Amino acid sequence: MLLCSSGVVLCLCWSDSGVLLLLLVWSGPITFLLKLIILAEILNIESAEVVNYQKYWVNFDRRTPEFRKCLDELFLDIAFSQPGVKNQIRCPCPKCNNFMFKFRNEVHHHVRQWGIVTSYKTWVHHGEILQDTSTIDVSDLNEIDCERENDSATYEMLYNTFRGETLGETPRDFATNVDENIEEEPHQGAKRFQRLMRDYEQSLYPDSGISRLSFIVKLFQMKCRYGWSNNSVDALLLFLKSIFPKENSCLTSFYDARKVIQDLGLDYEKIDACVNDCILFRGQEYADLDECPKCKQSRWVKGRGNEKDNLRKKVPQKILRYFPLKPRLPRIFMCEETARAIRWHKEKRLDDGVLKHPADSMAWKTFDEEHEWFARDARNIRLGVSSDGFNPFGNMNISYSTWPVVLIPYNYPPWMALKHSNWMLSLLIPGPKSPGNSIDVYLEPLIEELKELWEGGVEIFDVVQRRNFKLSAAVLWTINDYPAYSMLSGWSTKGALACACCHRETSSKRLKHGHKHCYMGHRRYLPHDHPWRRNKSSFDNTRELGEAPKPLSGYDVIEEFKTFEQTEFGNNTKKRKKSEHDKVAGNWKKKSIFFELPYWKTLLLRHNLDVMHIEKNVFDNILGTLLNIDGKTKDNLNAQLDLQLMGIKRDLHPRRVGNKFVMPIAKYTLSKTRKENERQLLCQFLKELKLPDSYSSNIGRCVHVEDCKIYGLKSHDCHVLIERLLPLAIRELLPKEVCEPLIHLSIYFGELCSKELKVDVLDKLETQIAITLCKLETVFSPAFFDVMVHLTVHLAHEAKLAGPVQYRWMYSVERLAL
């Protein structure tokens, strides 16, 4: 026997051994494969035996130069020289399992690291010809591979979906003893995968370049994106079936397509709900009931009373769609890219004291200190819960509100955390109205699953580390607008105690003529020796001696819950007058269901104030008051009568002339005279403004120069205007005492919305915003200071606790619903 340097074993059964030795050691331009062919002719070896000799190198040490040389010359050169192969081939490593198409350098790296899958005996995908070729045409295999290469997105989807169930062959380094003679029935995951693979391997029609499964997936994408009805899809499929070549496998109905797509695991649970939001018909207590035990409303849609209606299947009046979390979390770890990215926050994040990600925040780090076992494994997932109402019909004339509940994983790096493809829809709460206080009823399935994920976790296979582990998950906070803040937290955001951060210590006054509350107690946030605390005439005609309120901790909230009984849920409950016991509860409307989570009371920040809506409301107040727009200005007759009643700002008190009042013009209202029309100048500036593409929408379309009015501004328009354009527009139009605090407010929002935040800068912003709001109190009337203007004083503190606002505002959530 003779072992050459390239790892080929040959029998020396002939006399001219010198020719053989010369041929093996020759390092000229002749390839190694050509040497084997010459040897085969000399030794009269069959071609199949040559192929077997070619494969012998796979058993050698993958770190040696001989292995690399054989890999290049005996495998890659042959595979890439096959007809129809472009720049990618199937990777035969145990990780890719001849499933993923890779470039040459990637295949070389994978095979050197993990070898070739042991069950791959005949290399039919890489140029080897089967011994029995009576029924298989090799050119057909190459065409199939070429087609799959062009349709690799669907292949990758199948691979990532079923990898942990059916495709994860263990590499040699981790191999275990398995009896190959035992045949087992494929489990459900394998059966689903086999059905999908049959649909994938079946071409839509000859030479179509797309598989049947890819066609169905793309059809579903277009249906969801463009709002096609089921009937329109049925008509389209029938039309396509008629115009495609005769030998086509196109489906004829949306029902058939849905049966194929459900094997991808995109199912959800339908849970019947009471039409008045009292209960969910689930669990042993309610699952078999036909009517709500609280409001006595029927669970089912009432028929017409004839026999045919009685024989039909019962239709629920209201259905909650619940997307379980446990079946979806394993998919994160079936894909190597996401499995590595989920650990970014601990393994690759730069901890330099700058707030660039929620993992840099005090809330995240405090949670890790409180629950060390959870922080020990970087794969445990931190989530944000967001909910908002939207109209699913896209017609604003129809009053309908559906509430999706979305889970946002924060483990990902910044370039992945806010991608909608990485988010998870958890609940779809039906309309036609907002669930209001009864949203806790619909959150029950999610909270139960989150408790299970915290206490016991879920068994998951990690494709990177090639082993199973227990995954846990926790919710860090909720993201919502201010009305939804009330629904999720349980604290009413209306009335005298509307500020959820100041809670019972909210400083407010009821305006007699304006018929609403104003929130002006911002001098409490100034130092104790500040002269403005004793100044009565410039503010609300009182002295301020109080302390700045501190937000309630989770433990404080639990103590508050002990002062009142839990509210009975349902929209059918009658409103009743507050009793003495209810007045003790303050603005609490209910005990939030989130406190059933064992860790919820330890969180520093449980619910976020939405910077997006606060910016918009503050800007609407400013713009409506400066332009004196009817219905939007905060300087109307009622506001000036309240000034007169409070005895402040005497220059703005209205004068009574006969049966009418004459209102003085405030210094913050732009003039509208013929000589100098300041309102028209401002509108003309905004109308002619040119901005870079994708910086904002066309703001000029909302401006009416002749009427001096601005309508239809979106939230992002207000974001750009208040942070960038407002200081430029008002500097030459308003007096210094009005212009200066508005510019400071603009700078405050601009710094707050930066991608990177520094704690020392946030400390300065927290101090400066109190001074800015006090300056505004000396200029504007009390009616200007609604609760949204007051909430700006808390935003800098929340940014110190939770990090950049981009991860906690509603922009990305509302775009998801569009």
Side-chain angles (χ1 to χ4, degrees):
M1 300 292 290
L2 176 65
L3 175 65
C4 73
S5 61
S6 298
V8 177
V9 178
L10 294 173
C11 294
L12 296 180
C13 57
W14 62 301
S15 59
D16 198 357
S17 60
V19 178
L20 173 63
L21 293 174
L22 177 63
L23 199 58
L24 290 174
V25 299
W26 185 20
S27 60
I30 188 171
T31 63
F32 191 75
L33 178 61
L34 184 57
K35 297 177 189 179
L36 284 176
I37 295 173
I38 295 173
L39 289 174
E41 291 294 332
I42 295 174
L43 299 173
N44 294 324
I45 301 176
E46 297 294 334
S47 60
E49 297 178 21
V50 174
V51 173
N52 291 332
Y53 292 144
Q54 283 181 261
K55 296 179 182 177
Y56 194 86
W57 57 270
V58 300
N59 297 313
F60 292 134
D61 190 348
R62 298 194 294 271
R63 296 169 294 182
T64 60
E66 289 79 5
F67 184 88
R68 294 199 300 270
K69 184 177 180 181
C70 292
L71 174 61
D72 286 328
E73 295 185 1
L74 299 182
F75 185 79
L76 295 177
D77 288 346
I78 298 173
F80 278 96
S81 65
Q82 299 303 307
V85 175
K86 297 178 181 178
N87 55 359
Q88 289 181 317
I89 62 171
R90 295 173 183 271
C91 180
C93 74
K95 181 180 174 185
C96 298
N97 201 13
N98 278 321
F99 199 75
M100 301 297 294
F101 284 87
K102 301 289 184 181
F103 293 100
R104 178 174 181 131
N105 59 338
E106 294 176 317
V107 176
H108 188 279
H109 174 72
H110 281 205
V111 173
R112 282 192 60 198
Q113 185 171 3
W114 294 297
I116 295 179
V117 61
T118 55
S119 59
Y120 188 37
K121 303 296 184 183
T122 305
W123 297 348
V124 291
H125 299 297
H126 302 92
E128 181 176 353
I129 301 175
L130 295 174
Q131 294 183 7
D132 182 12
T133 59
S134 58
T135 58
I136 299 177
D137 189 353
V138 178
S139 61
D140 292 340
L141 289 174
N142 293 334
E143 289 177 4
I144 293 173
D145 279 356
C146 181
E147 182 177 305
R148 288 183 177 180
E149 180 181 349
N150 296 331
D151 198 19
S152 58
T154 305
Y155 234 120
E156 187 172 357
M157 175 186 65
L158 286 177
Y159 179 66
N160 292 336
T161 303
F162 293 93
R163 183 185 217 164
E165 300 181 29
T166 59
L167 304 177
E169 178 174 332
T170 307
R172 293 189 189 88
D173 298 340
F174 304 98
T176 55
N177 295 326
V178 179
D179 188 354
E180 297 181 356
N181 296 322
I182 299 177
E183 295 184 2
E184 295 183 357
E185 180 72 17
H187 56 76
Q188 289 301 116
K191 290 180 179 179
R192 289 192 294 123
F193 174 71
Q194 291 170 1
R195 287 196 297 267
L196 288 169
M197 279 303 300
R198 283 196 296 268
D199 286 311
Y200 183 80
E201 292 173 350
Q202 184 178 5
S203 179
L204 187 61
Y205 57 84
D207 300 327
S208 65
I210 186 173
S211 67
R212 185 170 180 257
L213 179 61
S214 298
F215 172 75
I216 297 172
V217 170
K218 291 175 181 178
L219 181 70
F220 264 78
Q221 290 176 343
M222 291 187 289
K223 180 186 185 300
C224 295
R225 174 169 294 183
Y226 303 113
W228 296 351
S229 66
N230 294 354
N231 291 335
S232 66
V233 176
D234 290 341
L236 176 63
L237 288 173
L238 289 173
F239 174 69
L240 293 177
K241 181 76 174 178
S242 65
I243 64 173
F244 282 161
K246 291 184 178 180
E247 298 178 359
N248 69 77
S249 58
C250 181
L251 300 173
T252 57
S253 68
F254 177 70
Y255 175 76
D256 294 335
R258 191 165 52 185
K259 288 195 296 185
V260 174
I261 210 73
Q262 70 182 9
D263 281 336
L264 288 173
L266 305 178
D267 294 338
Y268 56 86
E269 296 179 13
K270 290 183 178 180
I271 304 174
D272 297 348
C274 171
V275 70
N276 290 320
D277 305 330
C278 301
I279 62 165
L280 295 178
F281 292 97
R282 60 190 293 267
Q284 296 181 353
E285 187 176 0
Y286 301 129
D288 299 328
L289 298 182
D290 289 329
E291 67 174 22
C292 175
K294 296 182 179 180
C295 66
K296 305 303 179 182
Q297 287 289 329
S298 174
R299 176 178 181 174
W300 316 106
V301 175
K302 294 182 179 179
R304 298 177 181 177
N306 53 32
E307 295 182 359
K308 292 183 178 180
D309 288 335
N310 295 331
L311 295 175
R312 290 176 182 173
K313 182 180 179 181
K314 294 181 179 180
V315 178
Q317 293 199 61
K318 212 168 193 179
I319 300 176
L320 168 70
R321 288 165 174 83
Y322 174 54
F323 301 80
L325 190 56
K326 287 183 179 179
R328 302 161 77 188
L329 290 177
R331 300 196 176 192
I332 297 175
F333 298 91
M334 290 179 184
C335 176
E336 184 175 348
E337 180 184 359
T338 54
R340 294 185 187 278
I342 209 74
R343 303 197 302 267
W344 173 91
H345 66 96
K346 188 173 184 178
E347 297 178 355
K348 294 186 178 181
R349 178 179 57 88
L350 179 62
D351 192 2
D352 56 358
V354 180
L355 304 179
K356 295 172 286 190
H357 186 271
D360 299 314
S361 66
M362 191 185 305
W364 187 297
K365 294 177 180 178
T366 304
F367 184 84
D368 286 352
E369 292 173 0
E370 290 276 349
H371 311 283
E372 293 182 0
W373 68 269
F374 186 87
R376 201 173 296 123
D377 193 340
R379 295 170 295 188
N380 288 332
I381 296 179
R382 283 108 170 142
L383 300 168
V385 177
S386 181
S387 184
D388 192 23
F390 77 102
N391 189 340
F393 302 108
N395 186 352
M396 300 306 293
N397 294 327
I398 299 177
S399 178
Y400 198 96
S401 180
T402 297
W403 285 70
V405 178
V406 181
L407 300 177
I408 306 173
Y410 284 123
N411 293 44
Y412 289 118
W415 54 90
M416 294 179 65
L418 297 181
K419 282 189 175 181
H420 292 159
S421 57
N422 294 323
W423 293 11
M424 293 174 282
L425 178 64
S426 177
L427 295 166
L428 199 58
I429 302 175
K433 297 180 180 179
S434 164
N437 205 35
S438 301
I439 194 173
D440 285 12
V441 173
Y442 296 100
L443 289 173
E444 286 177 4
L446 174 61
I447 297 298
E448 289 177 5
E449 192 170 20
L450 287 171
K451 288 167 65 177
E452 293 173 3
L453 285 171
W454 175 262
E455 295 169 353
V458 59
E459 188 80 15
I460 287 180
F461 176 77
D462 188 348
V463 73
V464 175
Q465 298 187 1
R466 308 296 298 178
R467 61 172 178 265
N468 293 323
F469 74 101
K470 283 282 188 179
L471 176 73
S472 299
V475 177
L476 291 183
W477 50 59
T478 67
I479 306 169
N480 34 257
D481 57 17
Y482 206 51
Y485 190 113
S486 170
M487 294 164 53
L488 296 176
S489 68
W491 181 271
S492 175
T493 54
K494 299 178 181 179
L497 305 179
C499 179
C501 300
C502 297
H503 47 92
R504 296 177 183 271
E505 299 179 20
T506 302
S507 177
S508 64
K509 287 187 177 180
R510 177 75 178 178
L511 299 177
K512 181 178 179 180
H513 298 280
H515 306 290
K516 65 177 184 179
H517 288 87
C518 67
Y519 307 85
M520 293 182 62
H522 301 110
R523 288 179 291 167
R524 295 188 295 173
Y525 298 91
L526 299 175
H528 291 286
D529 56 350
H530 200 285
W532 284 354
R533 279 180 170 265
R534 298 184 297 275
N535 189 339
K536 298 171 59 177
S537 59
S538 299
F539 294 93
D540 57 355
N541 210 15
T542 61
R543 291 184 179 181
E544 183 58 72
L545 303 176
E547 297 282 344
K550 296 180 180 180
L552 294 174
S553 67
Y555 298 97
D556 295 333
V557 174
I558 292 177
E559 291 299 320
E560 293 268 329
F561 285 169
K562 295 178 181 179
T563 63
F564 65 96
E565 299 293 333
Q566 176 63 296
T567 307
E568 187 173 328
F569 296 119
N571 296 328
N572 199 40
T573 55
K574 297 181 180 180
K575 292 185 178 180
R576 56 186 178 85
K577 294 183 179 180
K578 282 191 174 183
S579 63
E580 292 297 326
H581 184 271
D582 294 329
K583 293 178 181 178
V584 175
N587 257 33
W588 291 111
K589 300 192 301 179
K590 64 177 180 181
K591 299 177 182 179
S592 175
I593 193 173
F594 283 98
F595 277 92
E596 294 184 10
L597 299 174
Y599 52 85
W600 193 253
K601 59 180 178 292
T602 66
L603 301 177
L604 289 185
L605 182 65
R606 298 173 297 280
H607 308 280
N608 285 277
L609 296 175
D610 178 33
V611 177
M612 182 191 84
H613 284 96
I614 293 176
E615 265 188 337
K616 182 180 183 342
N617 282 273
V618 171
F619 180 76
D620 286 343
N621 281 7
I622 295 173
L623 189 66
T625 304
L626 295 184
L627 296 179
N628 197 24
I629 301 175
D630 291 339
K632 294 186 178 181
T633 181
K634 301 300 179 180
D635 185 36
N636 51 28
L637 178 60
N638 289 330
Q640 293 190 355
L641 289 174
D642 285 321
L643 289 176
Q644 190 175 25
L645 187 64
M646 296 172 67
I648 57 175
K649 297 182 176 61
R650 298 185 182 278
D651 56 325
L652 294 179
H653 292 182
R655 292 181 292 107
R656 192 179 188 94
V657 179
N659 295 328
K660 296 182 179 180
F661 286 97
V662 177
M663 296 173 55
I665 299 175
K667 53 187 174 183
Y668 48 76
T669 302
L670 297 176
S671 64
K672 194 180 179 182
T673 60
R674 291 183 179 179
K675 294 183 179 180
E676 188 178 9
N677 193 336
E678 293 175 338
R679 300 181 197 175
Q680 201 166 29
L681 288 175
L682 176 61
C683 293
Q684 192 69 33
F685 168 77
L686 297 177
K687 185 73 174 179
E688 299 176 354
L689 189 65
K690 303 296 182 184
L691 296 171
D693 291 341
S694 302
Y695 186 78
S696 74
S697 65
N698 184 10
I699 297 177
R701 64 178 168 76
C702 303
V703 180
H704 303 269
V705 179
E706 295 180 358
D707 299 334
C708 299
K709 294 181 180 180
I710 301 177
Y711 292 112
L713 290 174
K714 303 297 183 182
S715 297
H716 191 262
D717 298 332
C718 298
H719 171 74
V720 173
L721 285 167
I722 196 172
E723 291 188 12
R724 299 288 179 254
L725 304 178
L726 183 64
L728 298 175
I730 66 174
R731 177 168 292 182
E732 300 297 330
L733 299 178
L734 294 174
K736 181 179 179 181
E737 59 268 25
V738 179
C739 186
E740 185 178 286
L742 292 179
I743 292 176
H744 287 165
L745 186 63
S746 174
I747 295 172
Y748 173 77
F749 278 118
E751 291 287 342
L752 195 66
C753 295
S754 300
K755 288 185 177 180
E756 297 182 0
L757 300 174
K758 295 183 178 179
V759 177
D760 56 341
V761 174
L762 291 174
D763 289 333
K764 294 178 182 178
L765 290 177
E766 193 172 5
T767 302
Q768 185 63 38
I769 188 60
I771 298 174
T772 300
L773 290 174
C774 289
K775 288 182 178 180
L776 291 174
E777 286 186 21
T778 63
V779 176
F780 290 92
S781 62
F784 180 85
F785 298 93
D786 57 19
V787 69
M788 302 303 285
V789 175
H790 165 73
L791 291 176
T792 57
V793 77
H794 300 295
L795 296 180
H797 177 69
E798 286 200 357
K800 285 197 300 184
L801 293 180
V805 300
Q806 287 81 8
Y807 298 89
R808 301 179 290 110
W809 62 12
M810 291 292 292
Y811 276 115
S812 51
V813 178
E814 292 197 349
R815 288 187 184 123
L816 180 66
L818 294 178

